[in-house]
Amino acid sequence: MNDLSVFRINQAGYASGLPVCIAFLGEGTVRLIDCSDTILMELNPSAAPVDQASGDRVSVLNFGVLPEGCYTLENNGITRKLSVLKKPWQPVVDMLVKGLYFQRCGCDLKKEFAGIYAHPACHKAPAAEWENRKSVRLVTGGWHDAGDYGKYVGPGAVTVGHLLYAWKLFPDSFSDSLNIPESGNGIPDILNEARYELDWMLKMQRSDGAFYHKLTKDHFAPFIMPQDDTDPEYLIPVSHCATAAAAACLALASRVYADFDADFSGRALSAALRGWTWLEANPDFIPFRNPEGVRTGWYGERTDSDDRFWAACELFAATGEINFRKAAEELYQGGQSLTQFGWADVGGMGGLCCLFDLREKADSILYSRLKSEFLSRTEEALRLSAASGYGTSLSPDHYVWGSILPIMANAISMILNYLITGRVDMRDAALLQWHYAFGMNALNLSFVTGIGEISVMHPHHRPSGADGIDAPVPGLIVGGPNKCFPYPVHRERLGENLPPAKYYLDELPSADTNEIAIYWNSPTVFVGAFFNMISHS
Ligand SMILES: [Zn+2]
C-alpha cells in the first residue's frame, strides 16, 4: 500500500479535456511518465503545510490538460498509474443512476437487469395510516431511502430534483440504455428511474392535498433482504416539509415530463397545486416529530420556509401565475440559503430554478438580486477548497454525518457559478470535489461501491449485508467521514485525536460514516453529468 500512499488520485480516471490534478503527500521531485517511459514533466513542489482536516502534509498538483493515454506518477521510486480518457465518467454516471434502480421497492429486481443482485418484490402489502389503522391504502413503489427500507417523501423529492435538473442542464450525459426495465422506451433512463419514485410520491398524497411524511415500519429492520422484511408498514402523519418539497418536485416534474407523457405531467401539476393549497390553508409550520412508538428516520426540520420557497419557484415556472412569483419573492426576502442542496435545506433548489429556468421572467428580485447573492456566496466554497490540502471544499469542523453532501453541494454551487460566469477557477475547484469522491482524499478510498481499485466494501446497506455476495451492490455512494456526530462507540475506538477527514470506518454497522443514501447519489449524478458533458467526446 505504500506505493499508493503518496499519490491520491481519482480512481475512476481523468478526462482528456480537463486539468489532471492529484493530491501529493511526499517530498521531492514528482515525475509524470508516459507509456513509453518518457518523462513528460517534473514537478518540485515546495513542502506542503499540514492540512487541518486530515493532519496530512499534502498539496494538490496540477499537470494541466493531458492527451488520452496511460501515465505513471513517480516519486523517490514510488509509482502509481493513472489513466486519461476521452469520456471516463460516462460509465460512472450510468452506475450512479443505476444504483437507484437497485433501491427500487415493491417490484421484482429481475436477473436480466439486476444480475447477481436480483431479488423478489418487497413491501407489497397495503399500509395503514398510523393514526387511523382502519384506513388502509396500497402505497407500493419508490426507492428504499438509504441503508434501511423506509421511504421518505422529503428526501425523495430533493433526490428527484437533483436528477431532473441534471437532465435539464446536461442532457448529453444520459442515455436510454442503462439496462433497467424501461430502457429502450425512447425516454432517457434518468427520467425513467426518477419516474419510479414520482409515481410512488403521488400515492403519498392525502385527499386534502397534504403529503405523508414517510412510509416505514415502526422500527428499522435487521440486516435481512427486503423481501424478508414483512412487518407492517405505516403511513406516518403528514408534514409541512414533505408537502412543500413534494409540491416543488412534482411541479418541476410536470415541466420535465410534458414532452414525454402529457397525462402524467398534468397529474403531477395537479398534485403540486393541491399540495400548495393545503400549505396556504395551513400557514403555521409544525415541525415533524416521530409519533410515540415510531423509531425510523426522523428527517425533522426547523422551518419549512426553504421547501415553500422551492415550491413557489417551481409552481411559478410551471404555471406562470404571478401569485407564485410573489410568494417566492416574499420567501426569498425572508432569507434563503442559496448554496444548500440537501433534504434539510432546499433553498439552493429554488435558486437553481430562478437562475436557470426562470431567468428574466423572475424579475429583479428573484433574478438580478438572487444571482448576485448566489455568486457571492459561492466564493466561500471556492475559499474552502483552496484552503484544503486535498482541495476539499469543507471546513475541518464540518465533517458531519453524510459529509459527502456538503462537499457535493459546494461542487454544484461552483458548477452553477461557472455556468453563469464562465469562471474556470470555479469549474476546476468543483472538479476537485468530484475527484474527492473517487479517491483523492485522506483515506485513499473511492466512496462509491464498485468503482475504483480501492473502494467501499462494507456499506451500511441492508441488501449488501444480507445477500451473501462479497461485493456490495454497485453504484452507491456512502456518507463518508463524520467527526461531528459519530456513534459514541466509534468515537471511543477512533479517538479524539484522529483528524476529521479520517473519521471513517468501512464497516457495515457504521451508519454514522458508511451508510448509503439516495440523496447522496443524486447530487453526485449532477456533478458527474456536468463533467462528463464538458469532457472531450
Ligand atoms: Zn421494499
Side-chain angles (χ1 to χ4, degrees), residues 297-529:
W298 171 33
Y299 289 115
E301 300 183 42
R302 273 174 289 187
T303 174
D304 65 353
S305 161
D306 55 311
D307 306 87
R308 284 178 187 258
F309 171 61
W310 183 26
C313 295
E314 295 293 352
L315 282 162
F316 178 51
T319 66
E321 286 176 22
I322 211 76
N323 59 319
F324 292 120
R325 194 188 82 191
K326 286 183 183 154
E329 283 173 352
E330 266 177 41
L331 287 156
Y332 170 60
Q333 287 171 304
Q336 296 295 335
S337 301
L338 299 173
T339 49
Q340 298 291 320
F341 295 90
W343 63 265
D345 191 337
V346 294
M349 300 300 290
L352 174 50
C353 176
C354 292
L355 291 170
F356 289 86
D357 280 4
L358 288 167
R359 297 178 196 254
E360 282 74 11
K361 215 167 103 181
D363 221 347
S364 58
I365 297 173
L366 289 181
Y367 188 70
S368 314
R369 208 162 117 192
L370 186 147
K371 181 167 81 171
S372 151
E373 186 196 341
F374 172 76
L375 294 177
S376 141
R377 288 204 187 182
T378 52
E379 298 295 340
E380 176 63 6
L382 186 69
R383 191 193 66 72
L384 287 170
S385 174
S388 159
Y390 286 93
T392 310
S393 181
L394 193 65
S395 76
D397 55 353
H398 277 83
Y399 279 77
V400 293
W401 188 306
S403 55
I404 196 68
L405 178 62
I407 294 169
M408 286 301 124
N410 280 343
I412 291 175
S413 294
M414 291 189 281
I415 287 168
L416 298 181
N417 182 306
Y418 168 76
L419 293 174
I420 294 166
T421 65
R423 277 179 58 182
V424 172
D425 57 344
M426 287 284 177
R427 181 201 70 178
D428 290 353
L431 183 56
L432 299 180
Q433 316 318 307
W434 175 247
H435 294 338
Y436 167 89
F438 298 95
M440 187 174 153
N441 56 52
L443 297 157
N444 192 31
L445 182 76
S446 165
F447 291 116
V448 181
T449 54
I451 297 177
E453 57 194 301
I454 311 167
S455 63
V456 171
M457 283 304 290
H458 308 286
H460 183 89
H461 178 240
R462 279 164 178 73
S464 294
D467 61 11
I469 300 165
D470 284 347
V473 172
L476 299 171
I477 193 164
V478 297
N482 164 22
K483 195 170 184 179
C484 293
F485 313 106
Y487 289 152
V489 63
H490 293 155
R491 192 183 284 286
E492 204 167 297
R493 261 179 69 191
L494 297 172
E496 287 299 334
N497 293 330
L498 188 69
K502 294 178 176 169
Y503 233 81
Y504 170 80
L505 292 163
D506 184 10
E507 295 177 9
L508 181 143
S510 183
D512 51 347
T513 72
N514 215 30
E515 186 165 9
I516 67 98
I518 55 171
Y519 46 82
W520 297 334
N521 259 55
S522 54
T524 316
V525 166
F526 185 102
V527 174

Side-chain angles (χ1 to χ4, degrees), residues 103-107 119-124 141-144 148-151 225-227 229 233:
Q103 293 294 97
R104 285 192 189 189
C105 181
C107 67
H119 66 74
C122 53
H123 304 109
K124 295 178 291 186
W143 297 311
H144 299 140
D148 66 315
Y149 293 133
K151 277 97 34 183
M225 288 299 284
Q227 68 271 21
D229 179 34
E233 289 186 306

Side-chain angles (χ1 to χ4, degrees), residues 44-56:
N44 288 291
S46 46
V50 173
D51 171 55
Q52 291 305 312
S54 63
D56 294 334

Side-chain angles (χ1 to χ4, degrees), residues 193-269:
E193 196 51 54
R195 174 75 184 266
Y196 195 79
E197 179 78 352
L198 285 161
D199 283 335
W200 167 78
M201 203 180 292
L202 286 171
K203 298 180 193 173
M204 289 293 284
Q205 189 167 31
R206 203 167 62 176
S207 56
D208 64 353
F211 282 79
Y212 294 98
H213 194 73
K214 58 181 175 176
L215 174 67
T216 71
K217 305 196 303 178
D218 56 4
H219 62 282
F220 287 124
F223 270 72
I224 55 177
M225 288 299 284
Q227 68 271 21
D228 299 327
D229 179 34
T230 52
D231 293 340
E233 289 186 306
Y234 298 97
L235 286 156
I236 310 288
V238 302
S239 73
H240 281 81
C241 287
T243 301
C249 175
L250 287 162
L252 168 61
S254 76
R255 293 190 289 133
V256 168
Y257 290 85
D259 291 339
F260 297 105
D261 185 339
D263 170 66
F264 173 71
S265 166
R267 283 191 290 127
L269 182 58

Side-chain angles (χ1 to χ4, degrees), residues 5-20:
S5 64
V6 297
F7 298 116
R8 305 295 164 86
I9 64 171
N10 183 333
Q11 298 176 24
Y14 289 85
S16 53
L18 292 164
V20 172

